[in-house]
């Protein structure tokens, strides 16, 4: 569990703004957080699994919703213009 959390945190250090990447990172962090809260609150395996599932869905949705819809690029003269984010 600790290794998975550390891998997700390290994956979050990359400089990407892709919706898919943000969704996966959010789902992973949400699942880890939800599992921890479920384990503490319910003290059963079912509570831990339910917390992980709810956290994964919530984290994934937050990751998609918070990803930028357009990015700013600059042409050769330095003039900014909007482009679609990767």
């Amino acid at each position: 569990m600790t290794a998975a959390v550390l891998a997700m945190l390290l994956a979050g250090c990359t400089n990407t703004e892709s919706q898919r990447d943000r969704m996966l990172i959010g789902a992973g962090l949400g699942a880890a957080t939800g599992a921890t809260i479920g384990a503490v609150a319910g003290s059963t395996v079912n509570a831990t699994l339910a917390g992980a599932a709810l956290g994964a869905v919530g984290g994934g949705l937050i990751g998609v919703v918070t990803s930028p819809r357009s990015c700013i690029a600059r042409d050769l003269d330095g003039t900014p213009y909007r482009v679609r984010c990767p």
Side-chain angles (χ1 to χ4, degrees):
M1 182 77 159
T2 303
V5 171
L6 289 175
M8 289 296 171
L9 290 175
L10 291 176
C13 293
T14 60
N15 192 14
T16 182
E17 294 182 351
S18 168
Q19 277 188 335
R20 183 193 58 190
D21 292 343
R22 289 176 70 104
M23 179 191 67
L24 292 174
I25 291 168
L29 292 175
T33 303
T36 303
I37 292 171
V40 170
S43 299
T44 65
V45 173
N46 289 337
T48 303
L49 294 176
L54 290 172
V57 171
L61 288 174
I62 290 171
V64 169
V65 170
T66 60
S67 64
R69 299 292 184 240
S70 61
C71 295
I72 304 296
R74 298 193 181 273
D75 63 11
L76 295 176
D77 297 329
T79 306
Y81 64 95
R82 291 186 179 263
V83 295
R84 184 171 178 195
C85 293

